[in-house]
Amino acid sequence: KAGVTQTPRYLIKTRGQQVTLSCSPISGHRSVSWYQQTPGQGLQFLFEYFSETQRNKGNFPGRFSGRQFSNSRSEMNVSTLELGDSALYLCASSLEGGSNTGELFFGEGSRLTVL
Amino acid sequence: AQSVSQHNHHVILSEAASLELGCNYSYGGTVNLFWYVQYPGQHLQLLLKYFSGDPLVKGIKGFEAEFIKSKFSFNLRKPSVQWSDTAEYFCAVSTYSSASKIIFGSGTRLSIRP
């Protein structure tokens, strides 16, 4: 079956702009988590959605937001971009939330560069 | 809130050497523990997990990890590494009360000299 699909794979934005990233989970998976990956910081948890509801949220400012649709696809939005937002944004899906199955399935990520 | 520490940022070993990567977490309650691996050019994938029971967990490719509750540790081990083990390794934790919030450490880059 198809894996987790993230679009776009690469994008370049300038400071002050906003960006929307998309994630299509594995068919049947209802939980989608988002992470920010930067060198030296590892993966920082952004938020997790299940059945269109945000169940968990990390320690990121309100400029970072997300949502999940009825088909489990998810989007995350970053407004008023800052240079420090340059990172690889990873989406991961699981059946009901990682711990229940023990496994998050990751996409290849969307690499955002802010100039 | 839970957190994860991986003290080794970059480990360099020769083939056939033994491996131990450290992972410590901070949380006083029941935890679920994971190791994920990211091979060059590939996406993250699960190596092994611990939920309960035997604290010695075996994963894919000959890796194992031991949960020591008193030390808040979940170190990853492999008796004899191969060049193909070159990758970045991430320890992760979630709690019973917030099971779907999985927190990752900063990762350890493992380089194997052929």
Side-chain angles (χ1 to χ4, degrees), chain A residues 14-74:
Chain A
T14 57
R15 280 183 299 173
Q17 287 187 310
Q18 68 94 27
V19 66
T20 299
L21 308 177
S22 180
C23 173
S24 293
I26 291 172
S27 178
H29 285 193
R30 299 167 64 192
S31 169
V32 173
S33 299
W34 287 90
Y35 292 86
Q36 182 194 66
Q37 185 177 20
T38 54
Q41 293 291 316
L43 281 75
Q44 302 289 310
F45 178 81
L46 281 156
F47 25 66
E48 184 255 349
Y49 287 87
F50 180 78
S51 291
E52 302 178 66
T53 300
Q54 186 182 90
R55 284 199 300 192
N56 286 290
K57 189 176 187 300
N59 298 321
F60 278 80
R63 299 186 296 109
F64 292 80
S65 63
R67 59 179 175 168
Q68 186 180 33
F69 302 95
S70 58
N71 61 358
S72 294
R73 190 177 70 84
S74 177

